């Protein structure tokens, strides 16, 4: 296999200029574990680190000895060294509420928070989670409390949807329906229905029939508040987007050595290049090494078949077949990695060997960190 450049993760987390590490990849490849292990290693090497996960799984909390994770960074105990480590899990709706409370007077905030359209938007609108991840990342960065932020993105291709969040929000706020509904608020407070019926009679009539008068009024109330409060959303999202492109940010793509995961890794690498995002490299988790390569898988299988045909040495035959299976697995994983490397020969790679058991505590995370560094 052609040898790619080595991904030196210690050099990345040790560099005081590195302020943000974004771990992205498809689901089930060990992305959350990688983010947590990097966070712990960085903290134990002297960095003040916070790990932000937007994965609803509780694995991160359990492995860090925390009973729960929420929208507030929680300190992780038993961190060795001079750094410190906090962990948190994005609460999409709570982050949205905090933005409203921070950018509106108390009465306006109450009107928005109790509005049924806001409640729906803040919990289920497509892209809200990704946008709130951008908001929370920006908040953590602006606070200056941590010198390294590690982001564990959602599984699957939606992990890069937060790159689209500013544009998607802009399209929503600039949409024709929103502009129509916002017109009364911009007209100096005249009756929404008078203005709509005068200037947009057909639209208002159709919407009233479709939604009902009360629903339309709730929607108009929400949109007028949105116009007053949400103006800074797009600007902050674009600021965070530029932060992701800037020196000091490192994207780490995480994959397992399987066909679908490696294809997704190629997609991430290409997308990051298209967005001019700084790629640090690829982490390939759960790599199986070829055991006793002197005995090939084919010879091992042939020997097992010979023993079985003579009805001899069942245990030896079983061991030979197990060996053949491991050799075949290692060869298949190697081929998948070769496909990626041939397509992206300049991308640095770090490989983490498959571990005997799942990571469930700080010592397990330390071991993953050591394996990541031992390249």
């Amino acid at each position: 296999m052609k040898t790619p450049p080595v991904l030196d993760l210690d050099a990345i987390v040790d560099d005081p200029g590195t302020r943000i590490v974004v771990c992205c990849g498809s689901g089930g490849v060990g992305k959350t574990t990688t983010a947590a292990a990097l966070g712990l290693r960085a903290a134990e090497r002297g960095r003040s680190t916070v790990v932000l996960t937007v994965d609803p799984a509780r694995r991160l909390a359990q492995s860090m000895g925390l009973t729960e994770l929420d929208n507030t960074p929680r300190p992780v105990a038993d961190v060795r060294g001079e750094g410190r480590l906090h962990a948190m899990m994005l609460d999409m709706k709570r982050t949205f509420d905090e933005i409203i409370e921070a950018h509106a007077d108390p009465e306006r905030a109450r009107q928005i928070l109790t509005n049924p359209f806001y409640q729906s938007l803040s919990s289920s609108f497509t892209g809200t989670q990704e946008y709130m991840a951008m908001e929370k990342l920006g908040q953590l960065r602006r606070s200056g409390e941590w010198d390294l932020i590690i982001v564990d993105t959602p599984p699957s291709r939606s992990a890069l949807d937060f790159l689209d969040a500013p544009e998607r929000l802009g399209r929503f706020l600039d949409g024709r329906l929103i502009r129509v509904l916002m017109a009364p608020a911009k007209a100096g407070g005249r009756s929404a229905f008078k203005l709509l019926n005068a200037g947009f009679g057909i639209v208002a009539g159709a919407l009233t029939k479709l939604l009902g008068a009360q629903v339309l009024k709730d929607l108009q109330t929400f949109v007028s508040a949105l116009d007053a409060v949400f103006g800074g959303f797009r600007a902050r999202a674009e600021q965070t987007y530029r932060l992701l492109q800037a020196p000091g940010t490192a994207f780490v793509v995480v994959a397992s050595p399987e066909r679908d995961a490696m294809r997704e890794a190629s997609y991430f690498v290409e997308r990051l290049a298209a967005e001019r995002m700084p790629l640090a490299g690829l982490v390939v988790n759960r790599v199986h090494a070829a055991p006793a390569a002197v005995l090939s898988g084919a010879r091992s299988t042939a020997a097992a078949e010979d023993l079985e045909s003579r009805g001899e040495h069942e245990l030896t035959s079983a061991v030979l077949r197990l060996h053949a299976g491991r050799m075949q697995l290692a060869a298949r994983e190697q081929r998948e990695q070769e496909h990626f490397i041939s397509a992206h020969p300049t991308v640095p790679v770090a490989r983490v060997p498959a571990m005997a058991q799942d990571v469930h505590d700080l010592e397990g995370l330390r071991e993953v960190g050591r394996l990541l560094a031992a390249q």
Side-chain angles (χ1 to χ4, degrees):
M1 179 166 58
K2 188 176 180 180
T3 304
V6 172
L7 174 58
D8 187 348
L9 286 162
D10 273 356
I12 291 170
V13 300
D14 287 349
D15 182 356
T18 303
R19 304 299 302 274
I20 297 171
V21 174
V22 181
C23 295
C24 53
S26 55
V29 297
K31 186 160 46 65
T32 299
T33 300
T34 300
L38 282 176
L40 179 61
R41 190 165 182 84
E44 295 192 333
R45 293 172 72 85
R47 302 295 298 272
S48 176
T49 308
V50 60
V51 177
L52 165 65
T53 182
V54 292
D55 184 349
R58 297 294 185 267
R59 292 187 304 276
L60 184 63
Q62 293 165 356
S63 63
M64 291 184 165
L66 299 170
T67 56
E68 63 176 353
L69 284 179
D70 56 19
N71 219 38
T72 302
R74 305 285 179 186
V76 177
D78 300 322
V79 173
R80 302 166 187 167
E82 300 192 5
R84 62 193 181 105
L85 178 63
H86 286 73
M88 62 181 297
M89 186 174 73
L90 179 75
D91 183 329
M92 179 175 70
K93 188 176 188 315
R94 184 64 214 136
T95 300
F96 218 147
D97 291 352
E98 288 170 355
I99 295 165
I100 300 302
E101 290 163 358
H103 294 89
D105 60 75
E107 178 56 26
R108 174 84 61 159
R110 186 193 64 76
Q111 290 176 359
I112 296 173
L113 295 175
T114 58
N115 186 283
F117 279 93
Y118 169 76
Q119 292 170 359
S120 176
L121 176 72
S122 61
S123 57
S124 61
F125 185 72
T126 302
T128 302
Q129 184 184 49
E130 290 77 18
Y131 182 81
M132 289 304 119
M134 292 279 278
E135 279 279 354
K136 184 55 70 176
L137 172 59
Q139 288 175 13
L140 292 171
R141 185 68 177 83
R142 287 190 296 273
S143 76
E145 188 172 344
W146 297 275
D147 58 40
L148 180 62
I149 303 164
I150 297 181
V151 182
D152 167 37
T153 57
S156 81
R157 291 192 176 189
S158 67
L160 285 180
D161 281 353
F162 66 90
L163 299 179
D164 297 325
E167 184 182 352
R168 187 185 299 115
L169 184 75
R171 286 199 306 268
F172 172 68
L173 294 178
D174 291 337
R176 183 178 301 172
L177 176 60
I178 295 298
R179 290 202 307 272
V180 167
L181 293 169
M182 214 175 269
K186 292 185 174 179
R190 281 181 282 157
S191 164
F193 280 103
K194 278 184 182 175
L195 188 69
L196 275 172
N197 285 326
F200 306 100
I202 296 173
V203 175
L207 284 172
T208 302
K209 285 181 182 178
L210 181 67
L211 303 174
Q214 184 57 48
V215 174
L216 181 58
K217 187 174 181 184
D218 286 341
L219 180 57
Q220 289 169 325
T221 301
F222 168 66
V223 169
S224 65
L226 180 144
D227 184 43
V229 175
F230 287 25
F233 268 41
R234 200 175 341 179
R236 288 194 305 278
E238 289 169 353
Q239 184 180 18
T240 304
Y241 184 87
R242 289 192 296 273
L243 187 66
L244 292 173
Q245 290 179 316
T249 296
F251 280 81
V252 174
V253 177
V254 184
S256 57
E258 297 160 4
R259 178 169 299 177
D260 288 348
M262 295 304 289
R263 283 177 177 168
E264 289 289 284
S266 286
Y267 164 81
F268 282 116
V269 166
E270 290 158 10
R271 175 73 197 279
L272 289 168
E275 300 283 344
R276 301 191 305 280
M277 297 289 172
L279 172 67
L282 171 72
V283 169
V284 186
N285 275 325
R286 307 188 197 111
V287 177
H288 293 87
V294 173
L295 179 60
S296 70
R299 288 179 61 197
S300 182
T301 300
E305 289 174 349
D306 182 53
L307 289 172
E308 289 162 2
S309 69
R310 289 185 279 155
E312 298 176 358
H313 303 287
E314 290 183 8
L315 180 58
T316 304
S317 172
V319 171
L320 285 167
R321 286 200 175 276
L322 179 62
H323 173 77
R326 287 293 300 272
M327 292 291 289
Q328 291 163 2
L329 174 62
R332 187 170 64 247
E333 290 182 353
Q334 186 171 355
R335 284 195 301 273
E336 296 305 333
Q337 293 176 74
E338 285 174 349
H339 291 323
F340 177 91
I341 292 166
S342 64
H344 309 284
T346 62
V347 173
V349 176
R351 294 181 181 85
V352 178
M355 299 174 68
Q357 59 186 15
D358 289 338
V359 175
H360 59 273
D361 57 15
L362 282 183
E363 196 49 52
L365 290 176
R366 283 192 188 97
E367 178 60 20
V368 173
R370 284 192 288 268
L371 292 170
L372 284 167
Q375 300 297 313

